[in-house]
Structure formats: C-alpha cells, structure tokens
C-alpha cells in the first residue's frame, strides 16, 4: 500500500500560476465566504481557488478560475478558516490506530497532526514506530511523526519492552514522515548532560528538524535554563501562567493542552488575555484524548472553543491552532493558513465562537460534511507480533497483590491523584495492618504494576488515593504510560488478579471488575494500546468503562486518564514502576513504608 501522493509546491507551481492567472480552470472554488487570514488576523470577503491539493488563488473574486468542470462550493456567508492542527498528541491515547483516529477527528476539522508514538515505542521499539508512521502516511490528512526520544523515559527507574537508541533516532530522521524528535521527557538527563539524550537531540538538530520538549518540573531556575539550552523547542507540561511565560521568554513555544483529563489552557492563557504577551509563541494542543472524548466532545475544535470561552480572541485562538503550529515545525509555507501554495485544508463554519464544523476540506478534497466522514482512511496489515504483547509469565492470584506489614498500623507513602492534572501528590497515610497485611482504607486503595513485556511474573505493589472506590472492585489497564506494563488499581486483591488475568487473555485493554464479576471491557489488541475497530465502537466500550468506574464509586473527571498515567515516572511527585515506588522529585526509587 502506497502513501498518499502530495505534489510539492515546486512541482505544481506552473499549474497554480495558470489557475491564479485564469489560464487554467481550478478543480474547486469556494465562493461567498468570509476568509479568516491568520497571517494578518483579518476577516476578508474573498474567494478561494484550489487545484492539485493546494490553494492557487485567494482573493476578492475567483470567477476567472472557474471552468465548466470546476466544483463550486457556495460558502453562503460562512467563515472559511484553515484546517486545525494538533501540535502535540499521542494517537495511542485515543485507543485507536492512526486510520481510525483520523476517521474520528476529520469531522471535527483536524487536518494536520504532529504525533509522538512513544507509547508503542515502549512496547515494540523502532518497528512499532515504523508501523504507526506508515499508516499515518496513508491518511487523507497530514499526519507527521515525531521520533520518540525516551524509551525508557527514566532509565534505571523502569523497564520497557524495547529501548530507543541514538542510532534509532538517526535512522528515523531519514524517513519521509518524520518531522522531529518527540518530547524529551528525560529532562534530568538533559540537564545533567546525559550522552544518550544529547546524542538524540544532536541527530535531530543536524537533520534540521524540531526537538520536542517535556519539562515536568516546577523548578524554573538554572535547571530549566539548562534544559532550554539543550535544544527542546517547545513544552506542554506547564500548568500555570508563570510556566507559560517562562517558556516563551526562552524562545520556546508554550503548548497549552486540553485533553481528556488535562485542563491546562485556562490557567495559562492569561499570559495572552491579561498580561498581553505576543501570542505568536503560544500553541494549542490536546496531548492525550481517549476515544470517548473524540466521539462525544471533539478534538482540536473543542480546544479552540475552550480557549475562546476562557476569554481569548477567536482569531488569536485560531492562530494558536493553525499558523503558530505550522511555523513551529518549519511548515509555514506548507500548511496552517489559507494562502497560495499551501495545502488546501479548510473548514466552513457559521460561527467563530461556537465553531460548528460544517464542511472540511483536506488536501483539496471534501473529507467531511455535516459531521459525517466522506473520506476513506486506509489501514495497514498489523502483524501478529504487534497483537501478541501481554506476557504475564503465570496466572496471577490474590497473593501476588499482598503487601506485608507488622504491628497494628503502617506509615506508608501513597500516590495522590489530582483531578484534571497530570502531576500527583506524595501523601503519607497511616494504614491498618490485618493478619500481617497492610490494607487500604477510606479513599486509599491498592495499586500494582504488573510486568507484561518479558513474562517475569513481577508485581510491584503500593497504594493510591483519590479515586473514591468503595466495595470490592478492581480496574486493570495495559495502557500504562510510559513503559506500558499493566496498572491494576483495586480494593479487592481477588478482583485485581481476575482483572489482570482477563487482560492477558484478550491481549490487552482495560477491564473493570466488581465483586468477582466483569462490568466492562475495552479490548486493545494492538500492542495492548489500540483497537483497529471504528472509533464509535471503541468509544461505546470506553463509555461503559467509565460508567463501571462510577458504579465502583469513582467520581473524578476522566479518571481513566489519571489511572493510565500512574506509572509515568517523569512527572512529579510519586509514581509506580515495575521496579517499585518512584520519587519523581528526586528521580530515585523510594520505600513504600517509612
């Protein structure tokens, strides 16, 4: 299967010139619209002529570009805006393959994505990245791949299925769809001059591509400045206005995210709306959106609406989801605006504030209309190796989840979930000891990280608070950022064993159990991360999973995303890995009990 052919501006310039001059008719003309010019922040009553997948003429009257076979679209006074760009995201977080993710977001107006497949890199290594890259290139929209940088994300603190090396990065930089290096999560490695991290960034810089950033620390002192000096060009881990300001002052782009569980736009956009900083270096993105969010709420259209609701000028919000992103990746002359020579990606909408996505054109073709997909999103043939990735080594029992203790109580470190944010708290709780076992109590329940790549049979046990679970239950997921072993959270060790064994049986996914009975199952057979079923089917199962979590007492917003990040050992403060509890403020393993 061949990647879609996108004719370069240089190769089709003679045709673009002929159309703009009126010598050759356009393939498509959009008339009677109000064009949002993101270069000048103007709204212009202009027409648009398209040929060979690119804009040829953008001006007051395109009647000279119309021939007998030209497809004329009457915008009927609607706004014509550039197709939306997601500057930083992980397709795997949608629980979908690139083809099905594209099919889900195209009706929401997303026409360009910059995706970092570091989830599959942790499971399958470079071969998994290549599979994602290859399917991405088949889609009717523009999907660019960032080569994952950190697998493992924190060497010595976790074990991955595969490791990404500087040689892998160097090789990938020559692939046709690689746009840069994925988020450099090992920020302590950069700050301390780790040779591997420096080699990966050097390979990217020498290839003339963009280095993605990830500085998940509140320390904005010398460590932050050292990180910026290493070359990361953006960062999406800010959670407050000062974080956003610090990034842009260093010449980085501040990527403000609204994902399924990350609500970091409202707290940072005040740098623009109140402090009046130049918005050119601010970008909107999603980072992580699961299928339920995509189907029920939207994608980048949802982020733009949210930014506007937070007080941002609609035209500035659109710039942050189009031209700012394109400029950041060196693609300002290729996409992100409605201007001659650029890829013909546009949206017709009747309101800039409410942003209904009424018609979507990508690469000159109508790909969605009235919320319905009108394009084909091709699949690759995912190999058996990508579908056989859950190896527990043995059937697990309740005894595998026991935490021994002595005396009547034990003073324990507990992971504290923070609603709508990626960071956790490092809590200290006094927990009861019964029959020699430490037990969860109140809102504190057990968490386990089950090794699933090498079949070692290893289980790391600890405690987590904040989900609100009650009664005997368990939830397990093979989506366990970033090493993607298996996270099991529960109040019942017997249910935790049942949940873990169930995911081994189906090849990965998410399952919720209550009192010995399965309430919900989302099968994710590809790398234990994705399904190649349509988004609406996966979303329905994800909705059932959320309902099952609520039936077990959980009231957190998008708690599944919180669950899946509890092993992310590069975001403070306390996490779990296959090696034990990790104090991310110190980047070292720590004991469960004090």
């Amino acid at each position: 299967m061949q990647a879609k052919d996108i004719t370069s501006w240089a190769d089709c310039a003679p045709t673009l010139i002929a159309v703009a001059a009126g010598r050759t008719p356009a393939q498509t003309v959009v008339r009677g619209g109000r064009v949002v010019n993101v270069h000048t922040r103007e709204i212009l009553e202009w027409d648009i002529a398209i040929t060979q997948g690119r804009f040829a003429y953008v001006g007051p009257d395109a009647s000279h570009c119309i021939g007998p076979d030209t497809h004329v679209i009457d915008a009927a006074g609607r706004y014509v805006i550039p197709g939306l760009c997601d500057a930083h995201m992980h397709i795997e977080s949608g629980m979908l393959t690139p083809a099905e993710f594209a099919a889900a977001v195209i009706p929401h107006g997303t026409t360009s994505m910059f995706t970092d497949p570091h989830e599959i890199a942790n499971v399958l290594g470079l071969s998994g990245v290549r599979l994602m890259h290859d399917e991405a290139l088949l889609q009717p929209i523009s999907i660019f791949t960032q080569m994952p940088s950190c697998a493992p994300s924190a060497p010595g603190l976790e074990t991955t299925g595969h490791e990404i090396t500087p040689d892998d990065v160097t090789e990938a930089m020559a692939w046709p769809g690689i746009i840069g290096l994925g988020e450099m999560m090992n920020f302590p490695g950069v700050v301390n001059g780790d040779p591997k991290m420096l080699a990966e960034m050097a390979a990217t810089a020498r290839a003339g591509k963009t280095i993605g950033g990830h500085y998940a620390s509140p320390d904005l002192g010398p460590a932050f400045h050292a990180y910026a000096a290493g070359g990361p060009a953006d960062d999406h881990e800010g959670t407050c206005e000062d974080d956003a300001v610090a990034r842009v002052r260093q010449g980085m782009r501040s990527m403000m995210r609204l994902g399924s569980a990350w609500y970091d736009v409202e707290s940072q956009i005040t740098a623009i709306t109140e402090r009046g900083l130049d918005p050119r270096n601010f970008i909107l993105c999603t980072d992580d959106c699961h299928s339920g969010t995509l189907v029920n709420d939207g994608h980048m259209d949802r982020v733009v609406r949210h930014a506007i609701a937070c007080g941002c000028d609609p035209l500035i919000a659109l710039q942050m989801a189009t031209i700012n992103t394109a400029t950041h990746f060196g693609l300002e002359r290729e996409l992100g605006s409605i201007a001659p020579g650029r890829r013909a990606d546009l949206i017709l909408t009747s309101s800039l504030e409410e942003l209904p996505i009424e018609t979507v054109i990508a690469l000159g073709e109508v790909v969605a209309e009235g919320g319905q997909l009108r394009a084909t999103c091709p699949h690759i043939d995912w190999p058996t190796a990508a579908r056989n990735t859950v190896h527990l080594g043995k059937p697990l029992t309740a005894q595998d989840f026991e935490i021994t203790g002595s005396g009547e109580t034990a003073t324990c470190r507990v992971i504290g979930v923070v609603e709508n944010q990626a960071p956790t708290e490092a809590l200290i709780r006094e927990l009861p000891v019964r029959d020699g076992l430490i037990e969860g109590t109140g809102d504190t329940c057990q968490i386990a990280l089950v090794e699933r790549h090498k079949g070692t049979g290893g289980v790391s046990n600890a405690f987590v608070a904040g989900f609100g679970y009650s009664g005997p239950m368990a939830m397990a997921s093979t989506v366990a950022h970033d090493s993607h072993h298996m996270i099991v959270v529960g109040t019942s060790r017997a249910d935790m064993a049942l949940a873990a064994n169930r995911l081994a049986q189906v090849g990965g996914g998410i399952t919720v159990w209550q009192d010995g009975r399965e309430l919900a199952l989302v099968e994710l057979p590809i790398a234990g991360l994705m399904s190649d079923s349509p988004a609406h089917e996966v979303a329905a199962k994800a909705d059932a999973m959320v309902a099952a979590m609520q039936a077990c007492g959980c009231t957190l917003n998008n708690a599944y995303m919180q669950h899946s990040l509890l092993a992310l050992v590069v975001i403070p403060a306390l996490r779990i890995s296959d090696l034990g509890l990790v104090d991310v403020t110190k980047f070292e393993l720590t004991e469960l009990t004090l």
Side-chain angles (χ1 to χ4, degrees), residues 99 139 171 193 203 219 239 250 254 256-257 285 287 295 339 377-378 380 405 413 546 552-553 583:
Q139 303 315 309
E171 177 183 336
D219 180 4
T239 60
Q250 294 297 307
S254 172
M256 302 178 291
R257 63 185 173 183
C285 69
D287 199 356
V295 171
C377 297
I380 62 169
R413 292 182 173 88
V546 171
C552 293
D583 181 340

Side-chain angles (χ1 to χ4, degrees), residues 264-282:
D264 297 321
V265 174
E266 185 173 8
S267 60
Q268 297 182 88
I269 204 167
T270 51
I272 298 168
T273 59
E274 295 180 12
R275 294 181 67 159
L277 297 190
D278 189 327
R280 286 179 298 172
N281 290 321
F282 293 84

Side-chain angles (χ1 to χ4, degrees), residues 556-571:
L556 292 180
N557 176 59
N558 274 306
Y560 164 68
M561 296 299 292
Q562 305 283 6
H563 177 110
S564 70
L565 268 86
L566 291 173
L568 186 52
V569 295
V570 291
I571 297 183

Side-chain angles (χ1 to χ4, degrees), residues 239-583:
T239 60
C240 65
E241 182 184 288
D242 286 345
D243 288 341
V245 172
R247 271 74 173 168
V248 299
R249 282 178 174 170
Q250 294 297 307
M252 302 171 75
R253 262 75 178 204
S254 172
M255 291 186 174
M256 302 178 291
R257 63 185 173 183
L258 178 73
S260 290
W262 322 137
Y263 285 63
D264 297 321
V265 174
E266 185 173 8
S267 60
Q268 297 182 88
I269 204 167
T270 51
I272 298 168
T273 59
E274 295 180 12
R275 294 181 67 159
L277 297 190
D278 189 327
R280 286 179 298 172
N281 290 321
F282 293 84
I283 291 172
L284 297 175
C285 69
T286 64
D287 199 356
D288 295 295
C289 279
H290 68 64
S291 56
T293 300
L294 300 179
V295 171
N296 300 321
D297 301 322
H299 189 231
M300 282 304 297
D301 55 332
R302 170 177 175 257
V303 186
V304 173
R305 288 188 203 104
H306 177 70
I308 295 169
C310 291
C312 187
D313 182 312
L315 297 187
I316 292 176
L318 286 172
Q319 286 178 315
M320 293 192 292
T322 57
I323 191 62
N324 291 9
T325 302
T327 300
H328 176 58
F329 288 102
L331 295 173
E332 182 180 353
R333 298 276 290 172
E334 187 66 18
L335 51 85
S337 66
I338 300 173
R342 277 65 169 187
R343 299 186 184 189
D345 302 334
L346 64 80
I347 298 165
L348 296 182
T349 181
S350 53
S351 170
L352 292 184
E353 289 78 15
E354 297 175 4
L355 205 64
I357 307 299
E358 293 159 357
T359 299
V360 183
I361 292 177
L363 301 171
E365 302 292 333
V366 176
V367 291
E369 204 155 23
Q372 299 300 310
L373 181 70
R374 287 184 50 181
T376 299
C377 297
H379 291 247
I380 62 169
D381 183 14
W382 289 85
T384 301
R387 296 178 179 270
N388 182 26
T389 64
V390 183
H391 311 288
L392 302 189
K394 65 176 183 178
L396 299 182
T397 68
Q399 287 68 42
D400 289 300
F401 300 95
E402 292 179 348
I403 304 174
T404 59
S406 59
E408 295 184 356
T409 63
T411 305
C412 299
R413 292 182 173 88
V414 176
I415 302 169
V417 173
V418 180
E419 187 170 24
N420 290 332
Q421 288 195 357
T424 64
E425 295 178 310
L427 306 176
I428 304 296
R429 294 282 172 87
E430 199 74 19
L431 299 178
V433 178
R434 303 189 186 100
D435 299 325
L437 300 178
I438 307 175
E439 304 282 1
T441 185
D443 72 337
T444 301
C445 59
Q446 284 194 222
I447 181 172
L449 201 290
V450 178
E451 199 282 333
R452 66 114 164 167
H453 298 312
K454 311 294 185 184
T456 66
V459 180
S460 296
N461 288 296
F463 293 97
V464 64
F467 284 112
Y469 292 129
S470 60
M473 60 74 60
M475 175 174 176
S477 170
T478 51
V479 179
H481 302 271
D482 270 330
S483 58
H484 294 292
H485 288 289
M486 182 190 298
I487 296 176
V488 188
V489 171
T491 61
S492 159
R493 289 184 286 271
D495 283 326
M496 292 173 77
L498 288 169
N501 291 331
R502 176 63 163 152
L503 293 188
Q505 178 187 33
V506 301
I510 312 149
T511 184
V512 182
W513 288 67
Q514 185 180 57
D515 202 14
R517 181 173 63 92
E518 187 175 54
L519 299 186
L521 173 67
V522 184
E523 300 97 330
L524 302 175
I526 298 176
L529 303 173
M530 298 176 291
S531 170
D532 50 1
S533 296
H536 69 273
E537 294 181 10
V538 180
K541 292 183 178 182
D543 289 344
M545 175 260 294
V546 171
M549 294 175 72
Q550 293 171 343
C552 293
C554 182
T555 59
L556 292 180
N557 176 59
N558 274 306
Y560 164 68
M561 296 299 292
Q562 305 283 6
H563 177 110
S564 70
L565 268 86
L566 291 173
L568 186 52
V569 295
V570 291
I571 297 183
L574 193 62
R575 304 279 166 170
I576 190 171
S577 84
D578 60 306
L579 302 181
L581 269 184
V582 179
D583 181 340

Side-chain angles (χ1 to χ4, degrees), residues 135-201:
E135 186 164 290
L137 289 183
L138 299 175
Q139 303 315 309
I141 59 174
S142 301
I143 304 181
F144 301 92
T145 301
Q146 295 174 288
M147 176 59 197
S149 61
C150 299
S153 61
L157 299 179
E158 63 178 354
T159 310
T160 58
H162 286 267
E163 182 178 347
I164 294 297
T165 68
D167 286 343
D168 292 335
V169 172
T170 300
E171 177 183 336
M173 287 302 139
W175 296 353
I178 295 291
I179 195 67
L181 189 68
E183 54 183 306
M184 178 50 70
M185 293 178 288
N186 188 0
F187 56 89
V190 174
V191 172
N192 294 318
D194 178 82
K196 179 182 176 183
M197 299 298 99
L198 297 185
E200 291 184 0
M201 292 192 296

